[in-house]
Amino acid sequence: MARNWIAVASADHVQGGQRDGFMQVCHGKAAPLRRLQGGDRIVYYSPSQVFGSKIKLQAFTALGIILPRATYQVAMGEGFHPYRRDVLWLPSQIAAIHPLLESMEFSAGVRNWAYQFRFGIVEISSHDMDIIAAAMQVDMDVDVTKNLSVNK
């Protein structure tokens, strides 16, 4: 059964992954990505627009489906070799998190709702993912099965 996840990264980092069809979390660590399976749904929460900026964004910025290729490592230069997962990114709109907080199970009535994001990735319910997808205007009825068998 497919699971649902929120990953955390600045919007500029998310955009790079969307452009190239991948995701990474926790500064490129492998272990969190190994928890994901092909067919899982992933949404990025971006606390800021630009990595290291103190200017808040606090919005969901991308939503996609994890592809079946296993976690893999890439060389980015200067000794940085992050791990990634391939993602089929779906067309979406950015959605602010604050209007959704009381509707989602992981955050309703929780004052420190962002605390769990410090881990870089957190599992959420299908209910919460459906609320986020609707706010992002994502068509979840899209047939992604043909893309799930793709091995890059």
Side-chain angles (χ1 to χ4, degrees):
M1 176 177 248
R3 295 160 73 187
N4 300 282
W5 305 90
I6 294 176
V8 180
S10 60
D12 61 327
H13 284 188
V14 173
Q15 289 166 350
Q18 278 183 295
R19 180 186 61 241
D20 296 331
F22 71 88
M23 68 169 294
Q24 59 188 60
V25 293
C26 304
H27 304 288
K29 292 183 180 163
L33 293 177
R34 290 186 179 130
R35 296 170 54 200
L36 309 176
Q37 300 295 317
D40 285 359
R41 296 190 292 177
I42 186 76
V43 64
Y44 264 105
Y45 168 73
S46 297
S48 64
Q49 179 65 41
V50 177
F51 178 72
S53 170
K54 297 208 186 286
I55 300 170
K56 293 179 181 180
L57 179 60
Q58 296 184 316
F60 294 107
T61 52
L63 193 149
I65 310 295
I66 302 297
L67 294 173
R69 179 180 182 189
T71 301
Y72 59 94
Q73 194 171 26
V74 298
M76 291 189 65
E78 299 183 23
F80 184 47
H81 298 89
Y83 287 87
R84 294 179 173 170
R85 284 298 301 255
D86 288 339
V87 177
L88 172 65
W89 294 110
L90 302 174
S92 64
Q93 302 295 317
I94 292 174
I97 193 170
H98 286 281
L100 308 177
L101 290 174
E102 287 304 314
S103 301
M104 295 185 293
E105 295 169 347
F106 86 88
S107 59
V110 178
R111 189 168 180 218
N112 297 355
W113 57 267
Y115 183 74
Q116 59 197 310
F117 291 165
R118 75 189 187 287
F119 298 111
I121 191 164
V122 62
E123 188 171 4
I124 61 170
S125 68
S126 290
H127 170 267
D128 288 357
M129 184 61 83
D130 291 343
I131 288 172
I132 295 166
M136 295 180 76
Q137 301 175 27
V138 174
D139 180 6
M140 293 308 298
D141 292 328
V142 117
D143 181 14
V144 297
T145 55
K146 63 181 178 181
N147 294 298
L148 293 179
S149 63
V150 172
N151 247 340
K152 287 188 176 180

